[in-house]
Amino acid sequence: MMLPLRQQDSAMKRTGGGRSGSVIKFRTTVKSGSGRRSSTVLPSLLTFLVIVASGGLLLMIEKGMLNSVETPPPRGDGKRVDFLRQAGKHSPAAVDVEYQIVQEIRNRTMRTMCSQKNMPHSISSLSPLQRKTLLQHILVNDKYRFLYCYVPKVACSNWKRVLKFLNGALENLDAKIKMDHRNDLMFLSSLKPEEIRYRLKHYFKFMFVRDPMERLLSAYRNKFGEIEAYQKKYGVEIIKRYRKGHAKDTLVTGDDVTFAEFVRYLLDEDVERMNEHWMPMYNLCQPCAVTYDFIGSHEHLESDAEFVLQHIGASPYVHFPERQTWYKPVTSESLHYYLCSLPQKLLRELLPKYILDFSLFTYPLPNTTTEYCRH
């Protein structure tokens, strides 16, 4: 039996724990002097490892389905990054060969999977509900001609700060103010059909993704551990539905939902009608119906955000905001604790709901073997 959220966090601190080396880590810095030599050695091995880790795409290799797909374009000319280095904001970065390979595999995997007949190939092929969800999550900036599909729990609050700053609604990117997620933002859903089509065709389009289980845990800890409105709206319902003897309990406050109870709730939810904070990233942004020019990752947030700012032509003085002081990151230790404490039957049933997030964005499936969880 899993403990309520506050007790889970304290238990995790007492027991500690961390990931073993069995989970593949892709971001290893390569010294610039050895970048060219490393790039000739790493691709074949890392390509194989990334595809294996992303959940069973070896069949694509056997059928040669990846061979004809173009590689992604270069990540910019570096002028903006050079400016920031001169300004002292960044030290010279080493060439990250492995991450470039992961980007390439993610790009190829997405194009290949999205080309399948059963996948949507345009917004018009989406259902009305799917289209509504998508258009409500794409933010528009006409001055810099870009579209950003926001995914909750993937730095979307800070991206909204950037958009408000770029359109003049926010004077200071680092202002310690509560984010208003609706005002002073333009959503694609507010435009006419012909205006939507024009922007989708001509604007730079990007989104950011995150390890699906990390994102899910972040949503759980934030919404059920800190936000009273979510505790009352969702927490009370979850406890009454999944905790024995509480179906008619009028004293339930919803502030002690366990992670296992939350997962049971997700299993009974339709992914297309989920709350946006735990709806799969695929369903929020429909990357097969919309051809995104760039998909950044939460794991490389600073460099990927810098690339986007450079690409849209933002002033070199515009920077991606630092995380708020109250932000509590999901660490490898906390993820290890929660996933290993979860009944494995629940985890096996949960993964299919998020399998497109794992596969399309090349994230490894969680390792919760007995050996791994003992550490």
Side-chain angles (χ1 to χ4, degrees):
M1 176 180 177
M2 291 195 69
L3 300 171
L5 182 58
R6 295 189 185 91
Q7 296 179 39
Q8 290 171 4
D9 286 339
S10 61
M12 183 190 67
K13 291 175 182 177
R14 291 196 302 270
T15 57
R19 289 176 183 251
S20 68
S22 59
V23 177
I24 300 171
K25 295 182 180 179
F26 298 113
R27 187 172 176 83
T28 302
T29 304
V30 181
K31 293 182 179 180
S32 58
S34 61
R36 182 174 300 176
R37 182 176 67 254
S38 299
S39 64
T40 63
V41 178
L42 291 172
S44 60
L45 174 60
L46 281 173
T47 298
F48 175 78
L49 291 176
V50 171
I51 293 179
V52 171
S54 67
L57 297 179
L58 282 175
L59 182 60
M60 292 183 177
I61 299 179
E62 295 174 3
K63 292 187 175 182
M65 295 169 69
L66 299 180
N67 295 341
S68 61
V69 184
E70 296 179 0
T71 58
R75 292 165 54 82
D77 57 14
K79 293 180 180 178
R80 181 184 164 86
V81 176
D82 287 343
F83 174 89
L84 289 174
R85 289 173 185 163
Q86 293 169 8
K89 292 187 178 182
H90 295 282
S91 60
V95 177
D96 198 340
V97 177
E98 295 185 26
Y99 182 50
Q100 292 292 334
I101 295 170
V102 173
Q103 282 279 352
E104 178 172 338
I105 295 302
R106 176 178 291 167
N107 199 314
R108 292 186 175 195
T109 300
M110 185 166 303
R111 292 185 186 182
T112 301
M113 294 186 69
C114 289
S115 68
Q116 304 306 306
K117 291 182 179 180
N118 63 332
M119 303 297 276
H121 298 129
S122 66
I123 287 185
S124 60
S125 62
L126 298 174
S127 70
L129 179 58
Q130 291 172 333
R131 192 180 309 118
K132 178 182 178 181
T133 298
L134 172 65
L135 297 181
Q136 289 178 340
H137 283 82
I138 295 184
L139 294 167
V140 183
N141 184 288
D142 284 330
K143 179 179 179 180
Y144 291 92
R145 296 173 64 86
F146 71 80
L147 303 177
Y148 160 57
C149 184
Y150 78 88
V151 177
K153 310 312 297 181
V154 191
C156 75
S157 294
N158 274 347
W159 270 116
K160 289 175 181 177
R161 286 177 180 271
V162 171
L163 266 75
K164 290 188 178 189
F165 183 82
L166 291 176
N167 66 25
L170 188 65
E171 293 184 359
N172 183 359
L173 270 172
D174 298 312
K176 306 301 181 183
I177 58 174
K178 185 177 181 180
M179 171 55 58
D180 185 324
H181 291 271
R182 304 301 302 179
N183 291 333
D184 300 317
L185 293 169
M186 181 190 296
F187 294 82
L188 202 57
S189 57
S190 67
L191 304 180
K192 298 177 181 178
E194 60 271 20
E195 296 173 328
I196 293 174
R197 286 193 293 271
Y198 176 85
R199 285 161 177 78
L200 285 170
K201 182 177 180 180
H202 296 286
Y203 282 19
F204 176 74
K205 300 174 289 295
F206 71 95
M207 64 177 290
F208 273 70
V209 297
R210 183 179 187 179
D211 179 284
M213 290 297 102
E214 283 191 11
R215 175 174 171 255
L216 205 58
L217 179 55
S218 177
Y220 162 73
R221 295 175 67 182
N222 173 237
K223 301 308 174 187
F224 296 105
E226 302 172 7
I227 312 299
E228 185 178 356
Y230 275 77
Q231 294 168 359
K232 290 182 176 179
K233 182 176 182 179
Y234 296 98
V236 171
E237 176 190 353
I238 291 172
I239 291 174
K240 287 186 174 183
R241 189 190 300 183
Y242 300 102
R243 191 174 298 177
K244 291 182 179 181
H246 289 74
K248 298 181 180 181
D249 189 346
T250 58
L251 300 179
V252 172
T253 59
D255 64 349
D256 61 344
V257 175
T258 68
F259 190 56
E261 290 170 338
F262 176 55
V263 170
R264 287 189 174 94
Y265 167 75
L266 295 177
L267 292 177
D268 289 337
E269 287 290 288
D270 178 354
V271 293
E272 294 185 358
R273 299 181 185 278
M274 284 182 174
N275 178 279
E276 64 176 2
H277 290 87
W278 43 82
M279 181 181 285
M281 297 177 286
Y282 171 85
N283 295 84
L284 289 171
C285 293
Q286 296 290 344
C288 289
V290 176
T291 304
Y292 291 96
D293 300 290
F294 182 75
I295 297 181
S297 72
H298 189 267
E299 295 77 19
H300 301 91
L301 181 59
E302 183 179 354
S303 59
D304 284 354
E306 179 56 43
F307 168 75
V308 170
L309 291 173
Q310 174 187 317
H311 188 89
I312 65 175
S315 165
Y317 293 99
V318 177
H319 64 278
F320 193 73
E322 295 182 359
R323 291 185 173 119
Q324 299 296 308
T325 54
W326 50 259
Y327 176 73
K328 298 178 181 179
V330 173
T331 64
S332 59
E333 290 79 14
S334 60
L335 186 63
H336 176 277
Y337 173 82
Y338 279 92
L339 292 183
C340 288
S341 300
L342 190 68
Q344 293 307 288
K345 182 177 183 293
L346 290 182
L347 182 60
R348 287 194 300 270
E349 293 174 353
L350 178 67
L351 291 179
K353 284 185 178 282
Y354 295 89
I355 196 62
L356 286 176
D357 284 356
F358 283 104
S359 298
L360 281 173
F361 307 126
T362 61
Y363 283 104
L365 293 173
N367 180 359
T368 55
T369 60
T370 303
E371 181 181 357
Y372 169 74
C373 287
R374 275 203 301 261
H375 294 284

